[in-house]
Amino acid sequence: MLHTKQIIRSRTFVKKMDNSLVTRSRKKCWFVFFFLFVSWYLLLYGIDWSSLHGVVTTSRYEANSIESFHPTSIPPPPPPHHENVNVSFNSNSSSINNDDATNNDTQSKEDDSSSIENDNVVVPDLAELEKELEPLLRKNEPQEEKKVEKIEEKKVEKNETKDDNKGRKSCEGRYIYVAEIPSKFNEDMLKQCKLLNKWEDMCQYLVNMGLGPDLGNPQRAFSNKGWFTTNQFSLEVLFHNRMKQYDCLTNDTSIASAVFVPYYSGFDVARYLWDDFNTSMRDAGAIEVAKFLKKKPEWRTMWGRDHFMIAGRITWDFRRGIEEDAAWGNKLMLLPETQNMTILTIESSPWNRNDFAIPYPTYFHPSSDSDVLQWQNRMRRLRRRVLFSFAGAPRPQLEESIRSEIMEQCLATRRKCKLLECTDLHNKCNKPVHVMKLFQNSIFCLQPSGDSFTRRSTFDSILAGCIPVFFTPGSMYVQYIWHLPKDYTKYSVLIPEDDVRKKKVSIENVLSKIPRSQVAAMREEVIKLIPNVVYADPRSRLETVEDAFDLAVKGVLERVDVMRKEMRQGKNDSMVFNEEYSWKYYTFGTLEKHEWDHFFLRTSKEKY
């Protein structure tokens, strides 16, 4: 019995010993496993193997990204085809570099070397000027590139507040009611487009919602999209189509801040400007529209002072002051009803108070903010080989025109001036590519008056980043007061036309003496103005950039708001002042004497 107990005890002891050994073994195994795991981890991630000579490591994430990035070998684009433009341009000097920044720098070096070989192409001091200006201009590029990068962020932010923008609070003071007028005053005219202009078929310019045919990118003078063959007199259709997508339209006249009248007055009068149509025929449409508006209940809210319309031609086509069939134009702007309205036109009268100038349509109609910013950056990078240029024709029938003197001065200094004459049978001024290439290649662009004060060419030059040179403030400074800075010296040069006419001044000397730092600052200011003078594609919507349409609407709303407050206070200051000084009142807010008074003296009111 005792022996049996001893055996049981010994077996129990042995069993305990076995369990203890197993437990210890397990603990050692776990310890070894843990040690090996830590060692493996440290070997794999704790040591920078790439620092050892001959050892290259690539994680699987890096491998995937490398495999997914196989740049395709794209052959360089062929050199642009240059037409034989009859403006004494060498192919090297007229070549405009329109590739990206890298290609631009490469081609610029090639152009520099070619300019040394041919002295007739690039004037040495102009090349030196461009080299000195380049760093001053390029310092603005990083900021613009950051703007492009932030576009998407701004779009996201705008989308987040889109519902709020649609609310009544965000549109307060901005609501516009579009007057319902008979279609014969707008849409029906387009159906008879062949009758809109005696000298040109306007039908081709009415496609793409008034933008005209797609221009493409001939000779790489433009960007790949957004360029159209837009007619300078198509603003009414273009503006109306932009208004259709305005974000604060309303059908409730009681909350409308302004009333837009979609009357195509320019197309209407253009049908009867020639072929000896009598005054009754020319005035009929304008008179009927005025009577129609006067009968509407919304007219009585401010007696038409909150109404505005587009007149897509110069103001003188609508200011016939005498009842003679031989006199020019109709009397739209002289009617009692329209005297109360705000009329937007491509050239206003310095001596009348009811019309305001907004930019001529250009060829560029961006569809996004990035389209604008990229074009601005591209204009900054251009190497400009010519000091100044002029595109136009003389006006021998106009005694006071200085165009002949300007063309003579340009021809006399051919090494620094390029002339694009618009008189031959193949008139290259009618082809946007020739005009834009000339302006892109020029530092300054001469903009003298023609048949009237203003020119579409002025806006083409701004679009090309070329500093405009004016010879009277009536060509720009007292015209587009909602779209341009008041300090005209920031973006342009003024040379009095009398000094040119009397041969008292050399245009070359004036422009050559402008300090290079000032030239760089002026060009940058011109490039910044590009959004202000272009009309966006009506089929799209710019997110953060304000274009010419936006600024025009803002100007109208501010003007109407002032008149509304005056009416509530029993005042009438904005409508009662000497019209002869309208240019001074609207530009400077005063009727006091001004240094420009001599520019606007009228010996005969029948002239304008």
Side-chain angles (χ1 to χ4, degrees):
M1 185 70 178
L2 181 61
H3 180 68
T4 302
K5 289 181 179 180
Q6 290 177 344
I7 293 173
I8 293 172
R9 288 175 180 172
S10 61
R11 288 181 177 177
T12 302
F13 176 77
V14 170
K15 195 171 186 179
K16 288 181 178 180
M17 290 294 293
D18 291 339
N19 291 338
S20 177
L21 290 173
V22 170
T23 301
R24 291 177 181 176
S25 299
R26 288 178 177 174
K27 289 181 177 180
K28 288 180 179 181
C29 288
W30 281 110
F31 178 79
V32 171
F33 178 79
F34 178 78
F35 177 78
L36 291 174
F37 175 81
V38 171
S39 300
W40 170 79
Y41 184 87
L42 292 175
L43 288 172
L44 186 60
Y45 294 100
I47 300 176
D48 184 7
W49 294 96
S50 63
S51 63
L52 300 179
H53 180 69
V55 179
V56 179
T57 60
T58 304
S59 70
R60 67 186 178 91
Y61 301 104
E62 294 172 334
N64 289 338
S65 64
I66 292 174
E67 290 173 2
S68 63
F69 181 71
H70 292 291
T72 305
S73 178
I74 303 177
H81 173 69
H82 300 284
E83 294 185 13
N84 184 19
V85 183
N86 186 23
V87 290
S88 300
F89 264 46
N90 181 283
S91 60
N92 290 326
S93 66
S94 63
S95 175
I96 302 300
N97 180 11
N98 295 315
D99 295 331
D100 57 22
T102 304
N103 292 338
N104 183 282
D105 293 337
T106 303
Q107 186 169 342
S108 295
K109 294 177 181 178
E110 295 175 1
D111 289 342
D112 289 342
S113 62
S114 64
S115 67
I116 296 174
E117 296 174 1
N118 189 348
D119 188 55
N120 291 326
V121 179
V122 182
V123 180
D125 56 349
L126 289 181
E128 181 182 350
L129 170 63
E130 276 301 315
K131 289 180 180 178
E132 186 168 335
L133 291 180
E134 186 173 6
L136 295 174
L137 293 169
R138 284 185 176 274
K139 70 181 181 180
N140 295 288
E141 286 191 34
Q143 297 177 357
E144 297 301 327
E145 290 174 358
K146 289 180 181 179
K147 288 182 182 179
V148 176
E149 293 175 358
K150 290 181 180 180
I151 285 177
E152 295 301 325
E153 297 179 10
K154 291 182 179 179
K155 285 183 179 180
V156 172
E157 293 176 1
K158 190 160 185 176
N159 288 335
E160 291 176 353
T161 59
K162 190 173 182 180
D163 294 337
D164 294 335
N165 289 338
K166 290 181 179 179
R168 181 166 186 154
K169 187 175 182 179
S170 64
C171 283
E172 185 176 355
R174 297 176 55 233
Y175 281 114
I176 291 179
Y177 172 76
V178 179
E180 297 180 0
I181 63 175
S183 60
K184 69 178 181 178
F185 295 120
N186 44 50
E187 301 294 343
D188 289 352
M189 292 187 195
L190 306 185
K191 297 175 183 178
Q192 299 178 337
C193 52
K194 291 186 179 296
L195 303 177
L196 297 179
N197 192 315
K198 175 183 178 181
W199 312 107
E200 194 169 19
D201 182 4
M202 291 297 294
C203 298
Q204 59 181 320
Y205 298 113
L206 299 178
V207 300
N208 293 318
M209 302 187 77
L211 302 182
D214 194 315
L215 191 55
N217 191 8
Q219 301 186 41
R220 300 190 181 181
F222 315 112
S223 44
N224 291 328
K225 63 176 182 176
W227 292 81
F228 301 83
T229 311
T230 307
N231 187 277
Q232 64 177 337
F233 298 129
S234 62
L235 182 57
E236 291 154 351
V237 178
L238 177 56
F239 198 97
H240 188 195
N241 285 324
R242 282 297 309 278
M243 183 60 72
K244 290 177 181 178
Q245 61 147 359
Y246 179 65
D247 57 348
C248 289
L249 292 179
T250 181
N251 291 324
D252 186 355
T253 58
S254 66
I255 64 171
S257 297
V259 178
F260 174 63
V261 181
Y263 169 41
Y264 296 170
S265 56
F267 283 159
D268 188 9
V269 71
R271 297 181 294 183
Y272 311 114
L273 284 177
W274 298 275
D275 293 335
D276 298 326
F277 286 101
N278 59 35
T279 57
S280 298
M281 182 69 75
R282 280 177 270 157
D283 295 340
I287 293 174
E288 188 175 351
V289 168
K291 290 182 178 179
F292 179 85
L293 294 173
K294 192 175 181 179
K295 294 178 180 179
K296 304 293 286 185
E298 58 267 19
W299 182 265
R300 292 188 291 273
T301 302
M302 292 182 65
W303 303 106
R305 296 184 183 182
D306 55 351
H307 285 51
F308 72 104
M309 68 169 66
I310 304 295
R313 300 182 66 89
I314 61 175
T315 186
W316 318 113
D317 292 343
F318 309 98
R319 291 192 175 279
R320 192 197 71 251
I322 55 178
E323 296 299 323
E324 295 181 4
D325 290 341
W328 181 261
N330 69 11
K331 58 181 182 181
L332 168 69
M333 294 185 182
L334 301 178
L335 298 175
E337 294 81 5
T338 57
Q339 287 287 296
N340 279 357
M341 296 173 61
T342 299
I343 303 179
L344 307 182
T345 179
I346 54 178
E347 176 181 323
S348 63
S349 165
W351 306 291
N352 297 96
R353 58 171 167 253
N354 61 333
D355 58 330
F356 294 79
I358 62 176
Y360 283 72
T362 65
Y363 302 113
F364 184 40
H365 304 281
S367 57
S368 67
D369 294 22
S370 60
D371 287 350
V372 178
L373 297 174
Q374 288 171 6
W375 179 256
Q376 288 176 299
N377 285 335
R378 179 170 164 180
M379 292 304 98
R380 289 187 178 96
R381 293 193 295 264
L382 288 180
R383 289 288 186 90
R384 298 172 189 267
R385 312 296 187 184
V386 180
L387 179 62
F388 63 104
S389 64
F390 174 62
R395 291 290 190 273
Q397 73 278 13
L398 300 178
E399 294 182 1
E400 298 182 1
S401 176
I402 62 170
R403 288 196 174 197
S404 296
E405 287 82 357
I406 285 177
M407 296 174 75
E408 287 178 7
Q409 288 200 31
C410 184
L411 292 172
T413 177
R414 221 174 175 88
R415 299 177 67 217
K416 289 188 177 181
C417 180
K418 294 297 180 181
L419 178 64
L420 182 60
E421 296 190 62
C422 308
T423 55
D424 60 8
L425 296 177
H426 302 289
N427 195 345
K428 290 177 179 176
C429 293
N430 290 333
K431 295 183 178 179
V433 63
H434 299 309
V435 175
M436 291 301 293
K437 283 183 65 177
L438 175 67
F439 291 165
Q440 288 174 7
N441 204 29
S442 307
I443 297 175
F444 295 96
C445 292
L446 308 185
Q447 302 296 344
S449 299
D451 296 326
S452 62
F453 287 122
T454 65
R455 306 179 71 205
R456 174 189 176 143
S457 174
T458 296
F459 299 98
D460 292 335
S461 67
I462 292 176
L463 189 56
C466 184
I467 302 168
V469 179
F470 300 109
F471 301 87
T472 170
S475 292
M476 198 70 167
Y477 310 141
V478 303
Q479 294 282 345
Y480 310 97
I481 58 176
W482 298 334
H483 295 77
L484 302 173
K486 289 186 178 181
D487 186 356
Y488 68 90
T489 62
K490 288 184 176 180
Y491 69 91
S492 67
V493 177
L494 176 63
I495 302 176
E497 57 186 358
D498 281 344
D499 293 343
V500 177
R501 187 180 297 110
K502 297 175 182 178
K503 303 186 185 300
K504 291 182 178 180
V505 65
S506 166
I507 297 174
E508 177 191 353
N509 289 342
V510 172
L511 300 180
S512 298
K513 290 179 181 178
I514 300 176
R516 294 175 179 179
S517 59
Q518 185 178 345
V519 172
M522 292 170 70
R523 187 191 301 176
E524 177 60 25
E525 192 68 27
V526 169
I527 292 173
K528 287 181 179 178
L529 287 176
I530 290 176
N532 296 18
V533 301
V534 299
Y535 295 90
D537 191 324
R539 296 165 296 188
S540 60
R541 187 190 296 269
L542 302 184
E543 296 293 336
T544 60
V545 174
E546 288 186 320
D547 70 341
F549 170 86
D550 296 320
L551 296 178
V553 170
K554 182 183 295 185
V556 169
L557 292 173
E558 291 176 355
R559 169 171 158 78
V560 172
D561 185 56
V562 169
M563 290 189 291
R564 180 179 287 110
K565 290 178 180 178
E566 288 180 350
M567 290 182 68
R568 290 172 180 172
Q569 297 171 1
K571 299 180 180 179
N572 200 21
D573 298 340
S574 297
M575 300 295 289
V576 180
F577 59 87
N578 191 338
E579 276 196 302
E580 195 71 13
Y581 304 109
S582 295
W583 64 270
K584 196 185 309 187
Y585 181 83
Y586 288 134
T587 307
F588 305 108
T590 180
L591 299 179
E592 300 296 326
K593 289 184 178 181
H594 194 274
E595 59 179 328
W596 288 347
D597 284 343
H598 68 282
F599 283 105
F600 299 102
L601 293 177
R602 289 197 294 178
T603 56
S604 173
K605 293 187 178 182
E606 292 183 2
K607 179 179 178 182
Y608 292 114

